[in-house]
Amino acid sequence: MATNGTELSFAESARQIAENARYIAGGANSNFRLGMAGGPLVFERGEGPYLHDADGNRLIDYYCAMGATVLGHTPGPVLEAVRKQSEKGILYAGQAPIEYEAAKLICERIPCAERLRFGSSGSEVAQAAMRLARAFTGRNSIVKFEGHYHGWFDNILWSTAPGLNAAGPEDAPTPVIGSKGQDPAAGEGLSILGWNDLAVLEARLAKGDVAAVLMEPAMCNQGAIAPAPGYLEGALAACRKHGALLIFDEVITGFRLARGGAQERFGVTPDLCIMAKAIANGFPVAAIAGRADVIDLFADGVLHGGTFNAQPMVMAALVATQTMLTPEHYARSSVNGQRLQDGIRAILAEEGIKAQVGGFPLMFHVAFGLDQPARNYRDVARADKATYVRFAHALLKRGVRALERGAWFVSSEHDAGVVDATLEAVRGAAREVKAAA
Ligand SMILES: Cc1ncc(COP(=O)(O)O)c(C=O)c1O
């Protein structure tokens, strides 16, 4: 329902998707944009915290471009910096001062970043990180965790959201492949473990063959789960002891949990980290950063390429974004994000919907049906997803776009008034879902 009480229609989006499925598979350019209740949407433009869709609806947007737009959809200084840079030509296949400025800023801000290389997507720099770790250690195995996502490539798209019927025992998960057509052999170097369990990780590392432990330092693709006290410290110590590198995937947590990412927030500095999404507020920039002795292998035999790497316009977007990510930005946005999170928790409780609402001020998660906060993927997987999808759809009909997997991303543009309007929609959606139960 819009504020005047009528239910929003998405008929024109549906028409355009159907028509253009003639040219684009499924009518969308990422599988993560397909399959949601109400159908995938077509947007005409963004504006601060809002998206305007093809039906003329103005939606309050909590997808935030899957976490990227930490400054909202139209931050003036970022757009202006890109426009100015575009006047200097498009791509040089050489170096530009703006990429050195960008690199210096990130190295100053990210605790582990002695050196870095830029790329264009999180999936791609995850590959670079694993290659680097294998070259540095001379080992092949990579440890990843159930429910963590590090991109869509064959060697890492395993057990990202496995069905519990296929996932095997919690203390020894069965690796579950992520896509039809994926090469099963590409997963042979991979060990899948449950996250937030130090004893299990230590036991695996003790075998002495692990090149790297790759993790989301706070689990944000499934839930919004902080590491257990001592877990990150213990993981780092165990990696040191057994000669493996610790890699934090800060593609979501970077510039969101704190300006210096989860590593700053939790005070644990990994050997390497990867970043993307919010680093340039939605412009296609990714980075792999870390220890100089590891990253420097890129200049000494480990191949890393990419026609679009450090494209000057997106580097200008990065510098302008980072300039806007001040301590005041985090203080102000966090107040609004926390009020939203607390408000949703209170309304769901008042309306008699059992839920866990938790996480971080600028990224939190709502799971229906759980008695306790989730600690790992197995807990999240037990949530009542079907009812939550109905809730997300009820929100959409009221002008609020939130991810069906329960994640909420907050930007600097979600101010007090936007939060108030959102909470009103949350109340209505909660009542609708409750009434239908
Ligand atoms: C934690 C994490 N790592 C890696 C990726 C892959 O990044 P990209 O979609 O830019 O390839 C994502 C994407 O959502 C992510 O959430």
Side-chain angles (χ1 to χ4, degrees):
M1 263 140 272
T3 38
N4 65 4
T6 54
E7 206 169 273
L8 298 183
S9 160
F10 302 97
E12 176 58 17
S13 273
R15 193 196 66 73
Q16 291 193 23
I17 295 279
E19 181 177 320
N20 290 291
R22 273 191 294 172
Y23 308 111
I24 293 174
N29 278 299
S30 163
N31 283 35
F32 299 114
R33 298 175 196 163
L34 286 172
M36 51 272 290
L41 299 182
V42 178
F43 297 103
E44 305 277 349
R45 66 189 175 93
E47 178 196 15
Y50 304 111
L51 286 172
H52 295 260
D53 74 9
D55 287 87
N57 303 313
R58 189 183 76 167
L59 305 175
I60 302 175
D61 177 38
Y62 290 100
Y63 277 53
C64 283
M66 299 299 193
T69 53
V70 73
L71 297 170
H73 288 290
T74 43
V78 177
L79 299 179
E80 179 58 13
V82 172
R83 192 191 60 73
K84 274 202 180 127
Q85 185 67 43
S86 73
E87 289 166 1
K88 299 179 187 170
I90 298 168
L91 190 57
Y92 314 140
Q95 287 46 252
I98 190 75
E99 77 197 62
Y100 294 142
E101 200 184 328
K104 183 165 177 284
L105 266 172
I106 298 302
C107 286
E108 285 167 356
R109 290 182 169 191
I110 302 300
C112 80
E114 293 174 359
R115 292 256 215 292
L116 62 69
R117 277 279 179 96
F118 288 119
S120 304
S121 74
S123 298
E124 176 203 325
V125 289
Q127 296 298 309
M130 289 187 283
R131 178 177 288 178
L132 212 48
R134 287 181 169 129
F136 187 79
T137 61
R139 300 173 177 180
N140 196 47
S141 295
I142 304 285
V143 168
K144 100 167 266 292
F145 298 91
E146 222 176 30
H148 293 215
Y149 176 74
H150 309 291
W152 60 277
F153 294 161
D154 283 14
N155 58 359
I156 198 68
L157 188 68
W158 291 80
S159 298
T160 53
L164 290 182
N165 53 350
E170 184 162 347
D171 56 358
T174 306
V176 177
I177 204 158
S179 172
K180 286 184 189 168
Q182 193 175 335
D183 177 5
E188 275 165 15
L190 215 53
S191 284
I192 309 289
L193 303 182
W195 187 67
N196 243 345
D197 184 337
L198 196 52
V200 162
L201 177 59
E202 278 168 342
R204 178 64 191 86
L205 284 167
K207 293 185 183 165
D209 63 335
V210 174
V213 173
L214 174 58
M215 70 165 77
E216 296 182 48
M219 182 166 153
C220 291
N221 267 282
Q222 299 287 328
I225 308 176
Y231 182 67
L232 297 182
E233 291 84 346
L236 182 61
C239 283
R240 291 274 182 280
K241 182 170 169 200
H242 297 291
L245 297 184
L246 181 62
I247 307 172
F248 282 176
D249 180 338
E250 299 244 32
V251 167
I252 288 181
T253 54
F255 314 99
R256 209 164 253 291
L257 268 53
R259 189 167 74 182
Q263 54 195 282
E264 177 185 299
R265 186 183 173 107
F266 297 113
V268 174
T269 304
D271 297 297
L272 298 175
C273 79
I274 59 171
M275 297 160 274
K277 293 199 191 278
I279 193 170
N281 200 58
F283 284 86
V285 182
I288 170 168
R291 277 169 47 183
D293 59 339
V294 183
I295 299 280
D296 277 346
L297 289 179
F298 283 141
D300 187 20
V302 176
L303 193 127
H304 168 238
T307 301
F308 297 134
N309 290 356
Q311 203 273 358
M313 280 179 259
V314 302
M315 290 290 104
L318 184 154
V319 170
T321 298
Q322 294 297 325
T323 306
M324 291 179 76
L325 292 180
T326 57
E328 295 70 43
H329 155 84
Y330 287 97
R332 196 169 20 84
S333 305
S334 295
V335 167
N336 292 322
Q338 194 63 48
R339 192 165 79 82
L340 175 63
Q341 184 184 146
D342 294 343
I344 293 173
R345 187 184 303 108
I347 289 169
L348 293 176
E350 283 159 24
E351 299 300 331
I353 295 179
K354 184 162 75 173
Q356 292 295 326
V357 183
F360 311 96
L362 301 186
M363 194 270 154
F364 58 90
H365 187 262
V366 183
F368 281 4
L370 296 184
D371 292 309
Q372 305 283 334
R375 295 156 305 132
N376 59 24
Y377 174 70
R378 297 290 165 124
D379 291 345
V380 178
R382 290 185 194 104
D384 176 359
K385 293 209 179 65
T387 306
Y388 193 82
V389 167
R390 286 203 292 282
F391 174 69
H393 191 211
L395 280 172
L396 186 66
K397 290 186 290 180
R398 289 168 172 79
V400 172
R401 183 178 187 241
L403 280 154
E404 293 183 350
R405 69 174 158 87
W408 290 65
F409 292 102
V410 178
S411 81
S412 57
E413 303 309 288
H414 292 92
D415 62 16
V418 172
V419 169
D420 287 341
T422 305
L423 291 176
E424 195 186 320
V426 166
R427 170 98 49 201
R431 286 186 178 158
E432 181 181 322
V433 164
K434 192 73 189 166

Short mmCIF file of all heavy atoms in Angstrom, two decimals, residues 259-317:
data_model
loop_
_atom_site.label_atom_id
_atom_site.label_comp_id
_atom_site.label_asym_id
_atom_site.label_seq_id
_atom_site.Cartn_x
_atom_site.Cartn_y
_atom_site.Cartn_z
N ARG A 259 34.61 2.30 9.01
CA ARG A 259 35.31 2.73 7.79
C ARG A 259 36.43 1.76 7.46
O ARG A 259 36.68 1.46 6.29
CB ARG A 259 35.84 4.15 7.96
CG ARG A 259 36.37 4.69 6.66
CD ARG A 259 36.60 6.16 6.70
NE ARG A 259 37.77 6.48 7.50
CZ ARG A 259 38.18 7.72 7.73
NH1 ARG A 259 37.50 8.74 7.25
NH2 ARG A 259 39.26 7.94 8.46
N GLY A 260 37.10 1.26 8.49
CA GLY A 260 38.17 0.28 8.26
C GLY A 260 37.66 -1.15 8.23
O GLY A 260 38.46 -2.09 8.36
N GLY A 261 36.34 -1.34 8.09
CA GLY A 261 35.78 -2.67 7.93
C GLY A 261 35.70 -3.45 9.24
O GLY A 261 35.90 -2.91 10.33
N ALA A 262 35.40 -4.74 9.09
CA ALA A 262 35.29 -5.61 10.27
C ALA A 262 36.63 -5.71 10.98
O ALA A 262 36.70 -5.85 12.20
CB ALA A 262 34.80 -7.00 9.85
N GLN A 263 37.72 -5.65 10.22
CA GLN A 263 39.05 -5.77 10.85
C GLN A 263 39.30 -4.63 11.83
O GLN A 263 39.91 -4.83 12.87
CB GLN A 263 40.16 -5.88 9.82
CG GLN A 263 40.20 -4.80 8.78
CD GLN A 263 41.08 -5.18 7.59
OE1 GLN A 263 42.29 -5.10 7.67
NE2 GLN A 263 40.46 -5.59 6.49
N GLU A 264 38.80 -3.42 11.49
CA GLU A 264 38.92 -2.31 12.43
C GLU A 264 37.94 -2.49 13.59
O GLU A 264 38.30 -2.37 14.75
CB GLU A 264 38.64 -0.99 11.71
CG GLU A 264 38.68 0.22 12.63
CD GLU A 264 38.27 1.50 11.89
OE1 GLU A 264 38.94 1.87 10.92
OE2 GLU A 264 37.26 2.10 12.29
N ARG A 265 36.71 -2.85 13.26
CA ARG A 265 35.68 -2.96 14.29
C ARG A 265 36.03 -4.03 15.33
O ARG A 265 35.83 -3.84 16.52
CB ARG A 265 34.35 -3.30 13.64
CG ARG A 265 33.22 -3.28 14.65
CD ARG A 265 31.90 -3.68 14.02
NE ARG A 265 30.92 -3.80 15.08
CZ ARG A 265 29.95 -2.94 15.29
NH1 ARG A 265 29.80 -1.92 14.52
NH2 ARG A 265 29.10 -3.12 16.30
N PHE A 266 36.57 -5.17 14.88
CA PHE A 266 36.86 -6.25 15.82
C PHE A 266 38.34 -6.30 16.23
O PHE A 266 38.72 -7.15 17.04
CB PHE A 266 36.42 -7.60 15.24
CG PHE A 266 34.95 -7.68 15.00
CD1 PHE A 266 34.43 -7.76 13.71
CD2 PHE A 266 34.06 -7.63 16.06
CE1 PHE A 266 33.06 -7.80 13.48
CE2 PHE A 266 32.68 -7.67 15.85
CZ PHE A 266 32.18 -7.75 14.56
N GLY A 267 39.16 -5.43 15.66
CA GLY A 267 40.55 -5.32 16.10
C GLY A 267 41.41 -6.52 15.75
O GLY A 267 42.36 -6.83 16.47
N VAL A 268 41.10 -7.18 14.64
CA VAL A 268 41.93 -8.32 14.20
C VAL A 268 42.36 -8.06 12.75
O VAL A 268 41.51 -7.87 11.87
CB VAL A 268 41.15 -9.65 14.30
CG1 VAL A 268 41.96 -10.80 13.71
CG2 VAL A 268 40.79 -9.94 15.76
N THR A 269 43.66 -8.05 12.54
CA THR A 269 44.19 -7.70 11.21
C THR A 269 44.58 -8.97 10.46
O THR A 269 45.50 -9.68 10.87
CB THR A 269 45.42 -6.79 11.37
OG1 THR A 269 45.03 -5.64 12.14
CG2 THR A 269 45.94 -6.33 10.02
N PRO A 270 43.88 -9.27 9.36
CA PRO A 270 44.20 -10.48 8.59
C PRO A 270 45.44 -10.27 7.72
O PRO A 270 45.97 -9.15 7.64
CB PRO A 270 42.96 -10.65 7.72
CG PRO A 270 42.53 -9.24 7.46
CD PRO A 270 42.82 -8.46 8.72
N ASP A 271 45.89 -11.33 7.06
CA ASP A 271 47.02 -11.20 6.13
C ASP A 271 46.58 -10.46 4.86
O ASP A 271 47.32 -9.64 4.32
CB ASP A 271 47.55 -12.58 5.75
CG ASP A 271 48.10 -13.30 6.97
OD1 ASP A 271 49.08 -12.80 7.55
OD2 ASP A 271 47.52 -14.32 7.37
N LEU A 272 45.39 -10.82 4.39
CA LEU A 272 44.84 -10.22 3.17
C LEU A 272 43.38 -9.90 3.40
O LEU A 272 42.72 -10.55 4.23
CB LEU A 272 44.92 -11.20 1.99
CG LEU A 272 46.27 -11.71 1.51
CD1 LEU A 272 46.05 -12.76 0.42
CD2 LEU A 272 47.14 -10.56 1.00
N CYS A 273 42.85 -8.95 2.63
CA CYS A 273 41.40 -8.79 2.60
C CYS A 273 40.98 -8.42 1.19
O CYS A 273 41.79 -7.95 0.39
CB CYS A 273 40.91 -7.74 3.59
SG CYS A 273 41.11 -6.04 3.07
N ILE A 274 39.71 -8.70 0.90
CA ILE A 274 39.13 -8.22 -0.36
C ILE A 274 37.97 -7.29 -0.05
O ILE A 274 37.29 -7.44 0.97
CB ILE A 274 38.70 -9.38 -1.30
CG1 ILE A 274 37.65 -10.28 -0.64
CG2 ILE A 274 39.90 -10.18 -1.76
CD1 ILE A 274 37.03 -11.29 -1.60
N MET A 275 37.81 -6.31 -0.92
CA MET A 275 36.75 -5.29 -0.74
C MET A 275 36.09 -5.04 -2.10
O MET A 275 36.71 -5.27 -3.13
CB MET A 275 37.37 -3.97 -0.25
CG MET A 275 38.03 -4.05 1.10
SD MET A 275 39.20 -2.69 1.38
CE MET A 275 40.69 -3.34 0.65
N ALA A 276 34.86 -4.55 -2.07
CA ALA A 276 34.17 -4.13 -3.31
C ALA A 276 32.96 -3.30 -2.86
O ALA A 276 33.11 -2.51 -1.92
CB ALA A 276 33.75 -5.35 -4.14
N LYS A 277 31.83 -3.48 -3.49
CA LYS A 277 30.56 -2.85 -3.11
C LYS A 277 30.72 -1.39 -2.66
O LYS A 277 30.84 -0.50 -3.49
CB LYS A 277 29.86 -3.68 -2.03
CG LYS A 277 29.39 -5.06 -2.57
CD LYS A 277 28.35 -5.68 -1.70
CE LYS A 277 28.04 -7.14 -2.02
NZ LYS A 277 27.13 -7.36 -3.10
N ALA A 278 30.73 -1.12 -1.33
CA ALA A 278 30.66 0.27 -0.85
C ALA A 278 31.94 1.05 -1.06
O ALA A 278 31.97 2.26 -0.85
CB ALA A 278 30.27 0.28 0.63
N ILE A 279 33.01 0.40 -1.50
CA ILE A 279 34.30 1.09 -1.62
C ILE A 279 34.19 2.33 -2.51
O ILE A 279 34.85 3.33 -2.27
CB ILE A 279 35.40 0.11 -2.13
CG1 ILE A 279 36.80 0.71 -1.95
CG2 ILE A 279 35.17 -0.30 -3.57
CD1 ILE A 279 37.93 -0.30 -2.20
N ALA A 280 33.33 2.25 -3.54
CA ALA A 280 33.12 3.40 -4.44
C ALA A 280 31.63 3.65 -4.62
O ALA A 280 31.19 4.13 -5.66
CB ALA A 280 33.81 3.17 -5.78
N ASN A 281 30.84 3.30 -3.59
CA ASN A 281 29.39 3.57 -3.55
C ASN A 281 28.63 3.07 -4.79
O ASN A 281 27.71 3.72 -5.27
CB ASN A 281 29.13 5.07 -3.36
CG ASN A 281 27.72 5.33 -2.83
OD1 ASN A 281 27.35 4.84 -1.77
ND2 ASN A 281 26.92 6.05 -3.57
N GLY A 282 29.02 1.91 -5.31
CA GLY A 282 28.25 1.34 -6.41
C GLY A 282 28.93 1.41 -7.75
O GLY A 282 28.46 0.79 -8.72
N PHE A 283 30.00 2.16 -7.87
CA PHE A 283 30.80 2.10 -9.11
C PHE A 283 31.65 0.82 -9.05
O PHE A 283 32.04 0.39 -7.97
CB PHE A 283 31.67 3.35 -9.25
CG PHE A 283 30.87 4.54 -9.69
CD1 PHE A 283 30.23 5.33 -8.76
CD2 PHE A 283 30.72 4.83 -11.04
CE1 PHE A 283 29.45 6.42 -9.16
CE2 PHE A 283 29.95 5.91 -11.44
CZ PHE A 283 29.31 6.71 -10.51
N PRO A 284 31.90 0.20 -10.20
CA PRO A 284 32.53 -1.14 -10.18
C PRO A 284 34.02 -1.10 -9.84
O PRO A 284 34.88 -1.08 -10.71
CB PRO A 284 32.28 -1.68 -11.60
CG PRO A 284 32.05 -0.47 -12.44
CD PRO A 284 31.48 0.59 -11.55
N VAL A 285 34.29 -1.10 -8.55
CA VAL A 285 35.65 -1.18 -8.04
C VAL A 285 35.72 -2.30 -7.02
O VAL A 285 34.83 -2.44 -6.18
CB VAL A 285 36.08 0.12 -7.31
CG1 VAL A 285 37.53 0.01 -6.83
CG2 VAL A 285 35.91 1.34 -8.20
N ALA A 286 36.78 -3.08 -7.08
CA ALA A 286 37.10 -4.05 -6.04
C ALA A 286 38.57 -3.90 -5.73
O ALA A 286 39.33 -3.30 -6.51
CB ALA A 286 36.78 -5.46 -6.52
N ALA A 287 38.99 -4.44 -4.58
CA ALA A 287 40.41 -4.37 -4.25
C ALA A 287 40.81 -5.62 -3.48
O ALA A 287 40.00 -6.19 -2.74
CB ALA A 287 40.70 -3.13 -3.41
N ILE A 288 42.06 -6.03 -3.69
CA ILE A 288 42.68 -7.01 -2.80
C ILE A 288 43.85 -6.28 -2.15
O ILE A 288 44.64 -5.64 -2.83
CB ILE A 288 43.14 -8.28 -3.55
CG1 ILE A 288 44.00 -9.12 -2.60
CG2 ILE A 288 43.84 -8.00 -4.87
CD1 ILE A 288 44.27 -10.52 -3.10
N ALA A 289 43.88 -6.37 -0.81
CA ALA A 289 44.88 -5.60 -0.06
C ALA A 289 45.46 -6.48 1.03
O ALA A 289 44.85 -7.48 1.43
CB ALA A 289 44.22 -4.37 0.56
N GLY A 290 46.63 -6.10 1.52
CA GLY A 290 47.20 -6.87 2.63
C GLY A 290 48.68 -6.69 2.77
O GLY A 290 49.26 -5.66 2.38
N ARG A 291 49.30 -7.73 3.33
CA ARG A 291 50.73 -7.70 3.63
C ARG A 291 51.53 -7.43 2.35
O ARG A 291 51.31 -8.06 1.32
CB ARG A 291 51.16 -9.06 4.18
CG ARG A 291 50.90 -9.22 5.65
CD ARG A 291 51.08 -10.63 6.12
NE ARG A 291 52.29 -11.29 5.66
CZ ARG A 291 52.59 -12.56 5.93
NH1 ARG A 291 51.75 -13.29 6.66
NH2 ARG A 291 53.70 -13.09 5.49
N ALA A 292 52.51 -6.56 2.47
CA ALA A 292 53.30 -6.19 1.29
C ALA A 292 54.02 -7.41 0.72
O ALA A 292 54.08 -7.58 -0.51
CB ALA A 292 54.30 -5.10 1.68
N ASP A 293 54.54 -8.29 1.61
CA ASP A 293 55.32 -9.42 1.08
C ASP A 293 54.44 -10.40 0.31
O ASP A 293 54.94 -11.15 -0.53
CB ASP A 293 56.09 -10.14 2.21
CG ASP A 293 55.19 -10.68 3.31
OD1 ASP A 293 54.05 -10.19 3.46
OD2 ASP A 293 55.63 -11.59 4.04
N VAL A 294 53.14 -10.39 0.57
CA VAL A 294 52.22 -11.27 -0.18
C VAL A 294 51.75 -10.55 -1.45
O VAL A 294 51.87 -11.08 -2.56
CB VAL A 294 51.01 -11.68 0.70
CG1 VAL A 294 50.13 -12.66 -0.08
CG2 VAL A 294 51.49 -12.31 2.01
N ILE A 295 51.24 -9.34 -1.29
CA ILE A 295 50.69 -8.62 -2.45
C ILE A 295 51.77 -8.38 -3.51
O ILE A 295 51.50 -8.40 -4.72
CB ILE A 295 50.07 -7.27 -2.01
CG1 ILE A 295 48.92 -7.50 -1.02
CG2 ILE A 295 49.61 -6.46 -3.22
CD1 ILE A 295 47.61 -7.89 -1.62
N ASP A 296 53.01 -8.17 -3.06
CA ASP A 296 54.08 -7.90 -4.02
C ASP A 296 54.36 -9.08 -4.97
O ASP A 296 55.03 -8.89 -5.99
CB ASP A 296 55.37 -7.48 -3.29
CG ASP A 296 55.36 -6.00 -2.93
OD1 ASP A 296 54.50 -5.26 -3.46
OD2 ASP A 296 56.21 -5.58 -2.12
N LEU A 297 53.83 -10.24 -4.63
CA LEU A 297 53.99 -11.36 -5.58
C LEU A 297 53.31 -11.06 -6.92
O LEU A 297 53.65 -11.65 -7.95
CB LEU A 297 53.41 -12.66 -4.99
CG LEU A 297 54.20 -13.28 -3.83
CD1 LEU A 297 53.49 -14.55 -3.35
CD2 LEU A 297 55.61 -13.61 -4.26
N PHE A 298 52.35 -10.14 -6.91
CA PHE A 298 51.73 -9.74 -8.18
C PHE A 298 52.74 -9.08 -9.10
O PHE A 298 52.54 -9.02 -10.31
CB PHE A 298 50.57 -8.76 -7.94
CG PHE A 298 49.29 -9.40 -7.45
CD1 PHE A 298 48.52 -8.77 -6.49
CD2 PHE A 298 48.84 -10.60 -7.98
CE1 PHE A 298 47.33 -9.33 -6.05
CE2 PHE A 298 47.65 -11.17 -7.54
CZ PHE A 298 46.89 -10.53 -6.58
N ALA A 299 53.80 -8.52 -8.51
CA ALA A 299 54.85 -7.93 -9.35
C ALA A 299 56.00 -8.90 -9.52
O ALA A 299 57.08 -8.54 -9.99
CB ALA A 299 55.33 -6.63 -8.72
N ASP A 300 55.77 -10.16 -9.13
CA ASP A 300 56.86 -11.14 -9.15
C ASP A 300 56.32 -12.53 -9.48
O ASP A 300 56.49 -13.48 -8.71
CB ASP A 300 57.56 -11.13 -7.78
CG ASP A 300 58.81 -12.01 -7.78
OD1 ASP A 300 59.35 -12.30 -8.87
OD2 ASP A 300 59.23 -12.41 -6.68
N GLY A 301 55.60 -12.63 -10.60
CA GLY A 301 55.26 -13.96 -11.10
C GLY A 301 53.84 -14.42 -10.92
O GLY A 301 53.43 -15.37 -11.57
N VAL A 302 53.06 -13.79 -10.02
CA VAL A 302 51.65 -14.18 -9.89
C VAL A 302 50.82 -13.28 -10.79
O VAL A 302 50.82 -12.05 -10.60
CB VAL A 302 51.16 -14.08 -8.42
CG1 VAL A 302 49.67 -14.41 -8.34
CG2 VAL A 302 51.96 -15.00 -7.53
N LEU A 303 50.15 -13.88 -11.73
CA LEU A 303 49.45 -13.06 -12.72
C LEU A 303 48.13 -12.48 -12.20
O LEU A 303 47.33 -13.20 -11.62
CB LEU A 303 49.17 -13.85 -13.99
CG LEU A 303 48.72 -12.91 -15.13
CD1 LEU A 303 49.56 -13.11 -16.36
CD2 LEU A 303 47.24 -13.07 -15.45
N HIS A 304 47.98 -11.20 -12.41
CA HIS A 304 46.73 -10.52 -12.11
C HIS A 304 46.52 -9.50 -13.22
O HIS A 304 47.39 -8.66 -13.46
CB HIS A 304 46.83 -9.80 -10.75
CG HIS A 304 45.70 -8.83 -10.50
ND1 HIS A 304 45.90 -7.49 -10.25
CD2 HIS A 304 44.36 -9.03 -10.47
CE1 HIS A 304 44.72 -6.89 -10.06
NE2 HIS A 304 43.78 -7.81 -10.19
N GLY A 305 45.42 -9.62 -13.93
CA GLY A 305 45.16 -8.70 -15.02
C GLY A 305 43.74 -8.17 -14.98
O GLY A 305 42.98 -8.45 -14.05
N GLY A 306 43.38 -7.42 -16.01
CA GLY A 306 42.02 -6.90 -16.09
C GLY A 306 42.00 -5.59 -16.85
O GLY A 306 42.56 -4.60 -16.38
N THR A 307 41.39 -5.61 -18.04
CA THR A 307 41.31 -4.42 -18.88
C THR A 307 40.74 -3.23 -18.11
O THR A 307 41.20 -2.10 -18.26
CB THR A 307 40.41 -4.72 -20.10
OG1 THR A 307 40.98 -5.82 -20.80
CG2 THR A 307 40.29 -3.53 -21.02
N PHE A 308 39.74 -3.51 -17.27
CA PHE A 308 39.04 -2.41 -16.60
C PHE A 308 39.63 -2.05 -15.24
O PHE A 308 39.10 -1.16 -14.56
CB PHE A 308 37.55 -2.76 -16.42
CG PHE A 308 36.81 -2.94 -17.72
CD1 PHE A 308 35.96 -4.02 -17.92
CD2 PHE A 308 36.95 -2.03 -18.76
CE1 PHE A 308 35.28 -4.18 -19.11
CE2 PHE A 308 36.27 -2.17 -19.96
CZ PHE A 308 35.42 -3.26 -20.13
N ASN A 309 40.68 -2.75 -14.80
CA ASN A 309 41.23 -2.48 -13.46
C ASN A 309 41.60 -1.01 -13.33
O ASN A 309 42.29 -0.44 -14.18
CB ASN A 309 42.49 -3.31 -13.21
CG ASN A 309 42.19 -4.79 -13.03
OD1 ASN A 309 41.02 -5.19 -13.03
ND2 ASN A 309 43.23 -5.60 -12.89
N ALA A 310 41.17 -0.38 -12.22
CA ALA A 310 41.51 1.01 -11.90
C ALA A 310 41.09 1.98 -13.01
O ALA A 310 41.77 2.96 -13.30
CB ALA A 310 43.00 1.16 -11.60
N GLN A 311 39.96 1.71 -13.63
CA GLN A 311 39.41 2.60 -14.65
C GLN A 311 39.30 4.00 -14.03
O GLN A 311 38.80 4.15 -12.90
CB GLN A 311 38.05 2.03 -15.08
CG GLN A 311 37.59 2.44 -16.43
CD GLN A 311 36.83 3.74 -16.40
OE1 GLN A 311 36.63 4.30 -15.34
NE2 GLN A 311 36.43 4.19 -17.57
N PRO A 312 39.80 5.04 -14.69
CA PRO A 312 39.90 6.35 -14.02
C PRO A 312 38.59 6.91 -13.46
O PRO A 312 38.58 7.51 -12.39
CB PRO A 312 40.46 7.25 -15.12
CG PRO A 312 41.19 6.34 -16.04
CD PRO A 312 40.45 5.04 -16.01
N MET A 313 37.48 6.70 -14.16
CA MET A 313 36.22 7.26 -13.65
C MET A 313 35.79 6.59 -12.35
O MET A 313 35.33 7.26 -11.42
CB MET A 313 35.11 7.12 -14.69
CG MET A 313 35.18 8.18 -15.76
SD MET A 313 33.87 7.91 -16.95
CE MET A 313 34.80 7.12 -18.24
N VAL A 314 35.99 5.29 -12.27
CA VAL A 314 35.58 4.62 -11.03
C VAL A 314 36.58 4.90 -9.91
O VAL A 314 36.21 4.92 -8.74
CB VAL A 314 35.32 3.11 -11.23
CG1 VAL A 314 34.24 2.88 -12.28
CG2 VAL A 314 36.57 2.33 -11.56
N MET A 315 37.82 5.18 -10.28
CA MET A 315 38.79 5.61 -9.27
C MET A 315 38.39 6.98 -8.70
O MET A 315 38.51 7.24 -7.50
CB MET A 315 40.19 5.69 -9.88
CG MET A 315 40.81 4.35 -10.22
SD MET A 315 41.27 3.39 -8.75
CE MET A 315 39.98 2.17 -8.69
N ALA A 316 37.89 7.85 -9.58
CA ALA A 316 37.42 9.17 -9.11
C ALA A 316 36.22 8.98 -8.18
O ALA A 316 36.09 9.68 -7.16
CB ALA A 316 37.04 10.04 -10.30
N ALA A 317 35.36 8.02 -8.52
CA ALA A 317 34.21 7.72 -7.64
C ALA A 317 34.69 7.23 -6.29
O ALA A 317 34.15 7.58 -5.24
CB ALA A 317 33.30 6.69 -8.30
#
